[in-house]
Amino acid sequence: MSRPRILIVGAGFAGYRTARTLSRETRGRAHITLLNPTDYFLYLPLLPQVAAGVLEPRRVTVSLSDTLPDVRLVLGEADRIDLDGQTLHYTGPEGDGGTLSYDRLVLAAGSVNKLLPIPGVAEHAHGFRGLPEALYLRDHVTRQVELAAAADDPKTCAARCTFVVVGAGYTGTEVAAHGQMFTDAQVRKHPLRQGMRPRWMLLDVAPRVLPEMDEKLSTTADRVLRQRGVDVRMGTSVKEATPDGVVLTDGEFVETRTLVWCVGVRPDPLVESLGLPMEKGRLLVDPHLQVPGRPELFACGDVAAVPDLEKPGSYTPMTAQHAWRHGKVAAENVAASLGLGGARKPYRHRDLGFVVDLGGAKAAANPLGVSLSGVPAGAVTRGYHLAAMPGNRVRVAADWLLDAVLPRQAVQLGLVRSWSVPLDTSSPELARVPGGPEQRQEASARSGPGAAIAADTYDGGTGTGSLQGRAGDEPAKGQPGSRATQNQPGSGTAQRRSEEELAKGRPSPEPTRNWPTDEPAKGPVGGGSAKGQPGDEPSKGRPRGDATRGRPGGEPSRGRPGGESARGRAAGEPVKGQPGGEPSRNWPADEPVKGPLGGEPTEGRPGGEPSRSQPGGEPAKNQSGDEPARSQPGGEPAKNQPGGEPAKNQPEPAPQPPPDQPPPGPGTAPGPVKRSDVLPDDSAKGDS
């Protein structure tokens, strides 16, 4: 008899606990597959300490492969679930798709950043749900303090040292508390202008800090924040975000380069595509965490609306504490449904208290309902985290000890850029990379933030990829009779990414693919094929240096290195710089262009008009086909005409312009393409 197949989607608190418990319950009697975008479980409560430089990033991650025996790990993101066919379609980290079949499916996909319809927030704010976002914030804050210390303008210095956090819940409160300590420690080494210090603002429309927790916890946290210098403003939020600051709901404009969005979370949009009953974006389940009418489908964690049996009529809140315990009950009930465990159990749990780490020795906690503050609360908080972590306890404790006796290392590594961590994404645990699968895949059934959009797809004709959708015989763009060249090799610098595109996390149109970024663009002269042509194959039957395939009339490609193009030449105008003629314009040091040797005709003249002052006296006609051109040496036909063979004894390519050649422009002979695919300097605008 074949073993049953159990598929778990997501390795957060609920998914990881489900997989670990099932591995113990089934003892190899079931195939357990875990689908997750990363190969680690992230302990989210300690993420603010990563952003503040207290913990190294790997300390808050636990390897899935090392800690989940008998569980098969599949890297990818779920795209579509066929409930009737009991199959799940996913996309891997390199864009390849796959299908997984199951007998039991556990949905534990977690949550994503919650967005509000506030102008500019999606473009200029960053969330705090994944490790890439924490790493970006640490680098960004460090950079702003360093730039502020070197700024001469007091206004610029103040703007760079102002950090706005929206959302005074669990995450926002800890980010502001740790952030103020982090920047205060930095300015001891990089003093700001006299009388200035970093300013952190904590905003929320709620009447108090930590509104969902006990009022005593709220009072303690508020007191610690204000004593530390955090500007706490309750009943206030952001009305509009701009590159230079934010407009508050009370009308005040605050100049800042940093906006951290911690207003809350919402369930992963994957569950919306199932067409099943929902409760505020969460999938409705019974107390056994099973979807009614679907005996093979279970859900737990933030995507599940689990009835709270301790508070009839309500659902368990979206907290890590509940998600962790959901996973254990879900695993036991899945095993029971397959006959591999005991009887099913309903989920019933009473909160044992909460802890809030405020940095240093300060914290707020109420274990078993006993309110604590100060050092005792700090000890309880760290003890709780060490006990709750499924791994890395010794390493975390060692980092805490080192942070207590040694100064923090405030350096920016630059590993995560602003556009890599957009706020509007369904995968906050992944940083976007140029050319990644999120830019290539088609829009899928997955809705909500992070779904593929037109600007992120390469659809062979309408996307933003370079030189796409060109038929084999269609003229290359930028040739006569077509539109302007788009990232054509040799046609000038590649398009820069705009600030708006950077803020949205979507790299702008890339330069031609496979283009060496530190070398001059190798055009047709010299043997390289025109990059960006279908298949990137060289033009067949053409000599090294021939024009790109499909160009009308055999006209050479514009923008050839060395300036061999006839850019700006009117039809029939003689080539300047030929022997006996006028020197070519804009050539380095006004050096004349070497004309054809031995009286050979100049190739690719538009309109076929003769060249002035040709040696031999008679002009070359540039006839199409294989008709010989007059005045060829020995009367030999001019080969390499359209449809013909390569011409013999072609001259060597003209020397390339020196490195300091100015960029090509109208009427300028193009030279080497300077590297322009680098991102604009984000530091001037704060990367927000």
Side-chain angles (χ1 to χ4, degrees):
M1 182 178 178
S2 62
R3 293 184 293 173
R5 300 161 299 176
I6 303 174
L7 176 59
I8 305 168
V9 179
F13 279 91
Y16 180 84
R17 186 75 183 277
T18 301
R20 193 171 73 168
T21 306
L22 273 173
S23 177
R24 296 172 180 173
E25 291 280 338
T26 60
R27 301 179 184 273
R29 293 174 293 171
H31 286 290
I32 305 174
T33 301
L34 177 61
L35 177 67
N36 197 58
T38 63
D39 64 348
Y40 60 81
F41 158 75
L42 176 64
Y43 190 75
L44 270 170
L46 293 181
L47 205 57
Q49 298 192 25
V50 174
V54 177
L55 296 177
E56 288 301 309
R58 286 186 296 175
R59 304 295 186 259
V60 299
T61 62
V62 178
S63 170
L64 299 178
S65 300
D66 293 345
T67 58
L68 297 177
D70 301 323
V71 175
R72 175 195 174 203
L73 173 64
V74 176
L75 294 178
E77 295 183 82
D79 296 324
R80 180 169 55 87
I81 299 174
D82 182 359
L83 295 177
D84 296 329
Q86 295 191 3
T87 57
L88 179 145
H89 303 272
Y90 70 93
T91 300
E94 296 183 350
D96 52 327
T99 303
L100 298 171
S101 301
Y102 61 85
D103 296 308
R104 294 292 184 273
L105 175 63
V106 181
L107 291 178
S111 55
V112 298
N113 293 312
K114 181 180 180 180
L115 295 180
L116 298 177
I118 299 176
V121 166
E123 293 80 10
H124 304 296
H126 292 281
F128 203 80
R129 289 291 300 167
L131 195 56
E133 293 171 323
L135 293 176
Y136 164 74
L137 183 61
R138 184 172 69 175
D139 277 3
H140 173 76
V141 170
T142 302
R143 178 166 62 254
Q144 295 308 308
V145 173
E146 292 172 347
L147 291 174
D152 295 326
D153 180 21
K155 188 176 180 181
T156 301
C157 179
R160 292 193 181 280
C161 277
T162 300
F163 308 94
V164 179
V165 181
V166 184
Y170 186 94
T171 301
T173 299
E174 289 195 339
V175 168
H178 281 277
Q180 185 72 65
M181 288 190 65
F182 182 47
T183 53
D184 284 347
Q186 278 187 271
V187 297
R188 296 191 191 104
K189 303 176 184 178
H190 303 278
L192 302 178
R193 300 178 65 89
Q194 186 174 4
M196 298 185 65
R197 64 168 295 191
R199 175 194 183 194
W200 284 77
M201 297 182 64
L202 181 61
L203 312 177
D204 202 309
V205 294
R208 59 184 175 91
V209 175
L210 301 174
E212 70 279 5
M213 297 185 183
D214 183 76
E215 190 171 353
K216 292 184 179 180
L217 286 180
S218 174
T219 302
T220 300
D222 186 272
R223 183 179 67 253
V224 171
L225 290 173
R226 294 181 187 274
Q227 288 176 349
R228 198 165 286 169
V230 177
D231 185 359
V232 180
R233 299 194 186 185
M234 295 294 99
T236 306
S237 188
V238 172
K239 182 179 180 181
E240 181 182 0
T242 69
D244 299 321
V246 293
V247 180
L248 304 185
T249 51
D250 59 7
E252 181 183 354
F253 180 76
V254 177
E255 293 192 17
T256 181
R257 303 291 186 271
T258 308
L259 179 59
V260 187
W261 192 254
C262 303
V263 297
V265 295
R266 72 182 188 90
D268 191 290
L270 172 68
V271 297
E272 297 177 2
S273 63
L274 299 179
L276 297 174
M278 310 283 290
E279 172 64 29
K280 295 183 179 180
R282 304 163 72 185
L283 194 60
L284 277 173
V285 297
D286 60 23
H288 301 93
L289 308 182
Q290 193 171 31
V291 177
R294 291 285 178 178
E296 79 286 354
L297 182 59
F298 293 77
C300 54
D302 290 348
V303 298
V306 182
D308 191 342
L309 300 182
E310 298 294 329
K311 300 176 182 178
S314 62
Y315 300 93
T316 59
M318 297 168 62
T319 64
Q321 188 177 122
H322 279 291
W324 185 252
R325 290 164 176 81
H326 283 176
K328 183 176 185 296
V329 174
E332 293 173 347
N333 290 339
V334 168
S337 70
L338 295 172
L340 302 177
R344 296 194 310 162
K345 300 178 181 178
Y347 177 75
R348 185 186 298 271
H349 174 70
R350 180 177 298 172
D351 291 334
L352 301 179
F354 291 92
V355 294
V356 181
D357 186 2
L358 300 175
K362 300 295 182 66
N366 61 346
L368 302 177
V370 179
S371 298
L372 299 174
S373 61
V375 176
V380 170
T381 299
R382 297 203 169 186
Y384 170 81
H385 287 316
L386 286 179
M389 288 191 70
N392 290 347
R393 295 186 180 94
V394 175
R395 290 186 173 92
V396 169
D399 275 6
W400 282 342
L401 177 61
L402 292 175
D403 181 68
V405 298
L406 296 176
R408 297 182 192 176
Q409 294 177 296
V411 295
Q412 46 173 320
L413 301 179
L415 299 179
V416 182
R417 302 301 302 272
S418 174
W419 57 265
S420 298
V421 284
L423 180 64
D424 189 4
T425 177
S426 61
S427 303
E429 64 274 11
L430 294 177
R432 287 195 176 188
V433 295
E438 69 277 357
Q439 295 172 304
R440 295 193 298 266
Q441 62 189 357
E442 297 284 343
S444 64
R446 186 169 192 163
S447 62
I453 60 177
D456 286 334
T457 58
Y458 293 97
D459 54 5
T462 60
T464 57
S466 58
L467 300 177
Q468 296 180 22
R470 185 184 305 168
D473 296 329
E474 182 181 348
K477 293 182 180 179
Q479 295 302 317
S482 71
R483 293 176 293 181
T485 305
Q486 298 179 358
N487 290 337
Q488 185 75 4
S491 63
T493 58
Q495 298 179 17
R496 287 184 176 271
R497 299 183 175 96
S498 69
E499 193 67 20
E500 181 180 359
E501 289 168 320
L502 292 177
K504 291 183 179 179
R506 296 194 295 269
S508 65
E510 302 174 277
T512 305
R513 298 178 188 175
N514 303 326
W515 198 259
T517 56
D518 292 326
E519 301 177 7
K522 298 180 181 180
V525 176
S529 63
K531 310 273 179 126
Q533 296 292 343
D536 284 336
E537 297 178 1
S539 302
K540 299 180 180 179
R542 294 183 184 273
R544 298 167 69 88
D546 196 11
T548 305
R549 180 173 55 189
R551 295 200 166 96
E555 180 176 354
S557 169
R558 297 186 179 187
R560 293 185 179 179
E564 293 169 299
S565 69
R567 176 183 292 185
R569 188 185 309 158
E573 182 180 352
V575 178
K576 298 182 181 181
Q578 295 291 346
E582 184 179 348
S584 175
R585 290 176 289 181
N586 298 320
W587 279 95
D590 293 328
E591 180 183 352
V593 180
K594 298 180 181 179
L597 303 180
E600 274 190 320
T602 303
E603 300 179 51
R605 294 274 171 69
E609 183 151 343
S611 167
R612 299 178 184 176
S613 304
Q614 278 282 5
E618 191 166 350
K621 292 187 175 180
N622 290 326
Q623 296 93 340
S624 61
D626 290 329
E627 182 179 350
R630 301 181 184 179
S631 301
Q632 291 287 346
E636 184 176 355
K639 300 180 181 179
N640 195 34
Q641 296 293 338
E645 299 177 1
K648 300 178 181 179
N649 301 323
Q650 290 288 343
E652 292 294 326
Q656 297 188 1
D660 58 349
Q661 174 73 20
T668 305
V673 175
K674 296 183 180 179
R675 178 169 183 174
S676 61
D677 61 325
V678 295
L679 294 174
D681 185 6
D682 296 318
S683 62
K685 294 192 177 182
D687 264 357
S688 56

